[in-house]
Amino acid sequence: MKQSNLSIIGSTDSGALNPEDEDAGLDHSALDRQHELLTESFRRFADLVHHREERTEAINYLRGLIMKVGLHFGFEESLMAKSGYPDFTHH
């Protein structure tokens, strides 16, 4: 069974970023929630670096964060395409 393109994002953070849980039409609640969780993730990564946590932990967290951002942008672009965002190709 193919996993939702964003369902794995919530696996290392509180909450979930699964567009199937929200109406991904023109309601931006799913996108807003993703932004909140990504902000929390960036703060957690900054804390790991600032407090000089185990380097391996910070690197692994960064890898997950990069994946989350890529999945988020894919979701965001799909919303733009579905809604007919006029500047989608240049965004």
Side-chain angles (χ1 to χ4, degrees), residues 4-20:
S4 168
N5 66 336
L6 293 178
S7 64
I8 59 175
I9 288 181
S11 64
T12 59
D13 290 312
S14 61
L17 290 178
N18 187 343
E20 294 169 1

Side-chain angles (χ1 to χ4, degrees), residues 68-83:
K68 291 176 187 183
V69 169
L71 291 171
H72 165 73
F73 283 137
F75 178 67
E76 195 170 52
E77 289 174 356
S78 73
L79 286 179
M80 286 183 210
K82 287 178 186 176
S83 68

Side-chain angles (χ1 to χ4, degrees), residues 22-71:
E22 306 272 353
D23 175 15
L26 295 178
D27 175 11
H28 297 289
S29 58
L31 194 58
D32 290 342
R33 181 66 181 139
Q34 288 180 20
H35 288 151
E36 290 170 10
L37 291 173
L38 286 171
T39 298
E40 290 172 19
S41 294
F42 278 107
R43 286 183 181 139
R44 171 69 179 131
F45 177 69
D47 286 345
L48 287 171
V49 171
H50 178 72
H51 296 294
R52 300 185 190 273
E53 296 291 333
E54 177 67 32
R55 180 182 171 141
T56 302
E57 182 181 357
I59 290 170
N60 288 336
Y61 197 87
L62 179 59
R63 286 183 180 131
L65 185 54
I66 290 167
M67 180 184 67
K68 291 176 187 183
V69 169
L71 291 171

